[in-house]
């Protein structure tokens, strides 16, 4: 299966989660209960095989119906079993440990910053050629949704596949902005949608090209980013 084809625009991911929270909130009556409903809804989504997910014409409609089933206490539909690759946050941990052992010395700060900004500019412009030239041919990307947003479970390998995934996720959109700023003590990309931090991206640069991309989309892991910005009066609450 083409893993890059599982990518979803970040504005769509945010809209989908907000919609599901609205559905669950109306049916369950409380925000905490609604969050639990959404967790179970996405757990059932990831319990489907890749082939089963591919056959679903409208994932948002499927997720909405499933959220309703969870609120009513209905069991999952027959068929789903153990997720084919585990939750993506588990994948992130395993992939990072594996790649840290293989990692080359990091690039100098000025070189790193220039490459990261080039990636951000290319994504914002939807420029596939420029983005591809900034990535290593064997680049890898991991998208950590924590099982709480709809994103690929498996890491994406190869410059072409990573280019397609990033452009789908971060490509030009009137509600989305990309900013280069400090992430884990090095320059990374912070993605905002409707002024909400929707993704924080770290990039490992080697030989003037991006070797690895680590994109955090898990709303729980982004909560502190949004709380800090909200306290400073920079953005509105996520929901």
């Amino acid at each position: 299966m083409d893993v890059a084809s599982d990518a979803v625009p970040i504005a769509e991911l945010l809209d989908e989660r907000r919609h599901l929270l609205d559905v669950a909130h109306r049916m369950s009556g409380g925000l905490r209960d609604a969050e639990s409903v959404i967790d179970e809804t996405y757990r059932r989504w990831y319990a489907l095989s890749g082939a089963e997910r591919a056959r679903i014409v409208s994932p948002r409609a499927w997720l909405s119906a499933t959220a309703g089933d969870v609120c009513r206490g209905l069991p999952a539909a027959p068929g789903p079993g153990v997720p084919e690759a585990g939750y993506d946050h588990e994948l992130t941990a395993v992939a990072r440990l594996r790649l840290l052992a293989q990692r080359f010395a990091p690039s100098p700060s000025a070189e790193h910053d220039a490459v990261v900004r080039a990636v951000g500019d290319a994504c914002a412009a939807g420029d596939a050629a420029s983005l591809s030239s900034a990535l290593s041919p064997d680049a890898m990307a991991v998208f950590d949704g924590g099982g709480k947003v709809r994103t690929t479970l498996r890491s994406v390998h190869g410059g072409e596949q990573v280019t397609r995934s990033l452009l789908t996720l971060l490509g030009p959109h009137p509600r989305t902005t990309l900013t280069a700023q400090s992430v884990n003590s090095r320059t990374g990309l912070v993605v905002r949608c409707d002024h909400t931090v929707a993704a924080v991206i770290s990039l490992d640069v080697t030989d003037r090209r991006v070797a690895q991309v680590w994109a955090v989309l898990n709303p729980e892991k982004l909560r502190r980013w949004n709380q800090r910005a909200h306290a400073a009066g920079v953005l509105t609450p996520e929901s």
Side-chain angles (χ1 to χ4, degrees):
M1 180 181 291
D2 181 0
V3 180
S5 65
D6 291 340
V8 178
I10 205 158
E12 183 178 328
L13 290 179
L14 208 60
D15 285 347
E16 179 180 275
R17 182 173 173 83
R18 284 171 171 167
H19 169 73
L20 294 175
L21 279 170
D22 285 344
V23 170
H25 197 181
R26 287 196 303 269
M27 296 186 71
S28 66
L31 184 57
R32 181 171 297 180
D33 289 341
E35 292 278 2
S36 297
V37 168
I38 300 311
D39 287 349
E40 174 61 16
T41 298
Y42 280 114
R43 188 199 67 77
R44 294 187 185 188
W45 170 263
Y46 286 120
L48 300 173
S49 69
E52 287 172 322
R53 290 195 298 271
R55 288 195 295 269
I56 296 173
V57 177
S58 174
R60 179 165 169 164
W62 187 96
L63 290 164
S64 297
T66 300
D69 288 347
V70 174
C71 288
R72 291 188 293 270
L74 299 179
V82 177
E84 59 184 12
Y87 285 114
D88 51 353
H89 66 282
E90 295 170 350
L91 169 66
T92 301
V94 173
R96 185 178 284 277
L97 288 172
R98 179 173 61 83
L99 286 169
L100 280 175
Q102 305 171 356
R103 187 174 178 178
F104 294 101
S107 297
S109 294
E111 179 182 303
H112 174 95
D113 293 355
V115 173
V116 171
R117 287 188 169 88
V119 169
D121 290 345
C123 288
D127 187 342
S130 294
L131 180 56
S132 181
S133 68
L135 301 177
S136 169
D138 58 353
M140 188 202 79
V142 174
F143 301 96
D144 176 11
K148 298 179 183 297
V149 292
R150 183 165 51 90
T151 188
T152 180
L153 286 170
R154 292 171 289 172
S155 54
V156 179
H157 296 268
E160 181 180 348
Q161 294 263 64
V162 173
T163 293
R164 289 169 53 197
S165 293
L166 289 178
L167 285 182
T168 300
L169 182 72
L170 307 176
H173 192 284
R175 293 163 51 203
T176 302
T177 60
L178 283 75
T179 306
Q181 63 186 84
S182 179
V183 176
N184 297 329
S185 302
R186 299 212 78 178
T187 299
L189 296 173
V190 176
V191 186
R192 292 176 174 83
C193 182
D194 297 331
H195 307 295
T196 295
V197 176
V200 173
I201 302 175
S202 301
L203 301 99
D204 294 337
V205 177
T206 301
D207 295 331
R208 297 183 175 83
R209 288 190 169 187
V210 173
Q212 286 120 34
V213 177
W214 311 94
V216 176
L217 299 100
N218 183 341
E220 289 188 358
K221 292 184 179 180
L222 298 174
R223 200 178 302 277
R224 265 188 208 173
W225 283 83
N226 282 303
Q227 287 172 341
R228 286 198 301 263
H230 179 53
V234 176
L235 49 80
T236 56
E238 179 184 348
S239 59

